[in-house]
Amino acid sequence: MGKKVVELLAPAGNINSFKAAINAGADAIYMGFGKYNARAMAQNFTLDEYIKCLDYAHIRGVKVYLTLNTLVEDSDIKEILDVLLKLYEYGLDAVILQDIGLASIIHKVFPDLHMHASTQMSAYSLEQVKFLQEIGFKRVVLARELSLEEIKYIVDNADVEIEVFIHGALCVSVSGQCLMSLSIGSRSANKGECAQPCRMKYKLYDSKDNKLEDTYLLSKKDIYGLDILKDIIESNITSLKIEGRNKTPEYVAYVTSRYRKYIDLYIEKKKFDLDNEEQKNLLQMFNRSGKSHGYLKGVEYKNSITTISPKNTGIFLGKVIEKKGGHVKLKLETNINLHDGIEIYNDKNIVSTIVTSIKDNNFKQINSNVEKGNIVYIGDIKQNVNVNDKIYKTSSSNLNDEIRNKYLKRCIRRRKIELNIKIKNNETIKLFTRLLDKEYIYDTLIVPEKSQNKAINIDMIKQVFLKTQDNGIEFPNINAQIEDGLFVKISSLNEARRNFVSILEEKCCIRRNTDNIQSNMPYILNEKIENHKIKCNFKNILSVYNYNENINYVKYYLEKYNKKLDRIDFQIKDYIKYQDEILSNYSKYNLGINLGNFTLKNTDKYIKENLEFLLKNGVNIVIIGSYRYIKILTELKKKYKFYIVADYSLNINNIYSANFISSLGIDIIVPDFDCSEKEINNIYKYFNVEVVDDYITVMTSRYCMLGSFIGRKNEKNICSAPCKSGNYYLLDKYKEKYNIITNNYDCTISIVKRNKQKFKALNCYIRNTIL
């Protein structure tokens, strides 16, 4: 049995990070172009830069994946395809996608180009992974909410490549399911413009307006997977992904290099011992309040939240003992040097600065590296700080210099190729090698002479052909057949080496013919969209977030709008608890069931065991928020008459997405909240459209803040289940209110916010939502 092959995938937000990732040992790099990626505010790459990067990477045996992992509008698609055509021509290895409509077009235009389903597609189940595979995806980047046990189950049962994040930032919301930034400030996470409102402080209140918490309730720690790397590799995941396209080149280099080291050690020896200093350095490069495994070892509750700060906290340096002029005195918990970055935390503010002065315990200037355990004064601190304020070292000048010198200042990554040389009397010198599974022979046209003094030998050959430091190819193994007594000019051999290396580098660069693609593209883009409208009468819809015994508001609403109301929907969690009551009390309406956008084990079990019964007994509308139940519903449609509604969490943002999803048997489309009025009008020409009024789900999370901060749930304690005893809400610094809706069958939460739908001019269905 061969060695396990696992890909290390590194980020690049600019050219320096790109080269750093290659030097540090990445097998593949993911990087964006322009505005069409989930890090639209990163520096990203121009088209010419991207093409040069493709050649640079391929010469060194590294793959490049284009991140097109945002929602796009109809008007964007032609421009995207034009860029993709050029990158495809120059050997782009894969494209990472979120938009299902864009994916459907790309699969038709570029059938040979590998598509990777972005984590923004919220794939958290085996059913979704299989669905994505069936429609053309070669790889699925799983949602970051899954444990290794859940990941391994998918890997073992799906015949598609699986990619998982193992290090870096973690969203509190299921990726692709966060509308909070959009709803607050019109900056869409699904278009790469997230303002990160989850990193703000929030106040948590109960239904009686008692304040229970006031901290960074939604700010998740970063994923740190190095200390469980053995378990990660043994899960048979195809690709291990490092987050960080907005991070520094130094961060990219160091994180990539450490994972490279330990992946190689484990593959080679099946074991390794982690170096404590390297682990500390990883945290020094960037961390938010310490280590977390994300969800890889299960839900970590309060321990996964950055209660100190939502920013990089680095390494704890010590506490303020006293302040003397512009200096603070402290006992060092780690080394300190000039130009290190520090932050001082107190209840009122955070003081951020660079160390420009170091004095010893006698207040004598030393300005040199001081080791852990010593008492020093550091400055220049101009702001007010207090005794016992905590100080953190957020950057290390020594470590950054070391990383720059090793990974950033020169090319150290080259493709290693064995070289064979034949030097015989009266024959031209020939070079032989094998590259990309092909044999190459290069005739130098150099004929050796009879030696008058010193004859050519293997050491002289090696001296010449090891001179490839400025190239992307090297010859670590050189074999030579040399007849005795021959002489060759070193300058001639140098020229032969340069020519041969140039030829081999050219062979590594991929060039694809795009003539057929260019001629077919207009026909594919201009394919006629058929009219998919069906007859149904759901002009006025009531959608209930929370159904319980105190249903007075629902009854009031029904009495007030009885003659106008066409449909009433309930959440899946409420069917689980009140199934019989809902079926008996509301069967005179068109009755809907919302399956949700993130259904875990217990909820999924109920759906699979009861969905057919519900369709037999009054339910005639099924609202889906993910692709998990597409296959089940398609089969059930052969037996029962009901309508399928694609909810806004499926992120349908253009006519191509609407057309694709309608082809699956969807009857009604709820456009994404990113969707412009122009796009909605375009979708409405051909499809039944529903818009949501009043409350929307702006965030869905597997992390439950109620269990973490009120129920005191952790690895040892059983949650006291505050979700069962009352309702709760969040308040931000702008006094904006966010209601918390819980599914206590699987301990997930939804954050719901009032958000008036803008598009009421259309003659579409209106879904009125109530809590």
Side-chain angles (χ1 to χ4, degrees), residues 380-597:
D380 181 22
I381 314 297
K382 297 178 180 178
Q383 300 91 330
N384 290 328
V385 297
N386 304 311
V387 172
N388 289 325
D389 284 353
K390 291 182 178 179
I391 309 175
Y392 290 83
K393 186 170 80 167
T394 53
S395 68
S396 166
S397 60
N398 282 348
L399 180 58
N400 283 333
D401 286 344
E402 180 183 326
I403 295 167
R404 291 187 199 104
N405 289 331
K406 185 170 183 179
Y407 298 108
L408 273 61
K409 290 189 175 180
R410 65 189 188 280
C411 170
I412 62 172
R413 177 82 172 270
R414 289 177 287 277
R415 186 190 288 264
K416 294 176 171 57
I417 304 174
E418 184 173 296
L419 178 66
N420 296 289
I421 302 174
K422 186 182 288 186
I423 303 176
K424 286 193 172 184
N425 188 32
N426 295 324
E427 292 184 15
T428 56
I429 298 173
K430 294 181 178 61
L431 310 179
F432 305 82
T433 193
R434 187 173 183 82
L435 173 67
L436 301 174
D437 294 326
K438 291 183 179 180
E439 296 284 354
Y440 290 97
I441 302 174
Y442 176 63
D443 190 339
T444 67
L445 302 180
I446 302 169
V447 179
E449 304 171 14
K450 286 290 184 179
S451 174
Q452 300 300 318
N453 294 306
K454 189 174 182 180
I456 193 78
N457 59 48
I458 185 62
D459 291 334
M460 296 166 70
I461 294 293
K462 287 183 177 180
Q463 187 175 4
V464 169
F465 282 91
L466 289 175
K467 292 179 181 178
T468 59
Q469 289 87 347
D470 296 327
N471 301 105
I473 287 175
E474 66 177 346
F475 306 114
N477 298 314
I478 300 173
N479 305 302
Q481 297 178 33
I482 307 171
E483 284 191 7
D484 294 336
L486 298 178
F487 169 77
V488 183
K489 290 181 180 179
I490 297 300
S491 60
S492 297
L493 289 176
N494 279 327
E495 184 178 358
R497 183 203 69 239
R498 287 191 292 267
N499 291 339
F500 191 40
V501 168
S502 180
I503 291 169
L504 294 176
E505 287 188 337
E506 189 176 327
K507 297 295 182 184
C508 292
C509 297
I510 302 168
R511 297 293 182 269
R512 299 183 179 116
N513 187 297
T514 60
D515 292 344
N516 289 337
I517 292 174
Q518 283 181 291
S519 59
N520 291 334
M521 191 187 299
Y523 297 102
I524 294 172
L525 279 173
N526 295 319
E527 283 181 349
K528 184 180 178 182
I529 305 293
E530 301 293 335
N531 191 315
H532 289 265
K533 287 190 175 182
I534 60 171
K535 290 184 179 180
C536 55
N537 185 26
F538 301 140
K539 295 291 184 184
N540 294 295
I541 306 158
L542 176 64
S543 181
V544 182
Y545 264 110
N546 262 337
Y547 179 83
N548 52 48
E549 292 85 350
N550 301 315
I551 199 68
N552 293 333
Y553 187 31
V554 176
K555 290 180 178 178
Y556 163 77
Y557 195 101
L558 295 180
E559 289 171 2
K560 184 176 180 180
Y561 296 99
N562 188 31
K563 293 182 179 180
K564 297 180 181 179
L565 194 64
D566 303 310
R567 191 179 102 203
I568 183 165
D569 303 329
F570 296 96
Q571 303 293 316
I572 181 63
K573 67 182 181 63
D574 291 328
Y575 272 93
I576 295 175
K577 190 171 184 180
Y578 303 108
Q579 173 182 290
D580 294 340
E581 186 176 334
I582 290 172
L583 292 177
S584 61
N585 289 345
Y586 304 100
S587 57
K588 69 176 182 177
Y589 299 98
N590 287 299
L591 191 56
I593 178 171
N594 192 324
L595 300 186
N597 60 349

Side-chain angles (χ1 to χ4, degrees), residues 224 226 254-255 278-286:
Y224 182 96
L226 192 67
Y254 194 77
V255 175
E278 290 178 343
Q279 292 197 81
K280 180 181 175 182
N281 287 342
L282 271 177
L283 294 175
Q284 180 66 79
M285 292 310 300
F286 196 97

Side-chain angles (χ1 to χ4, degrees), residues 61 95 104 342 379 394 443:
V95 57
S104 68
I342 62 167
T394 53
D443 190 339

Side-chain angles (χ1 to χ4, degrees), residues 619-633:
V619 171
N620 61 348
I621 297 96
V622 180
I623 304 165
I624 60 169
S626 77
Y627 296 106
R628 183 168 196 176
Y629 302 105
I630 283 285
K631 190 170 184 179
I632 295 173
L633 291 170

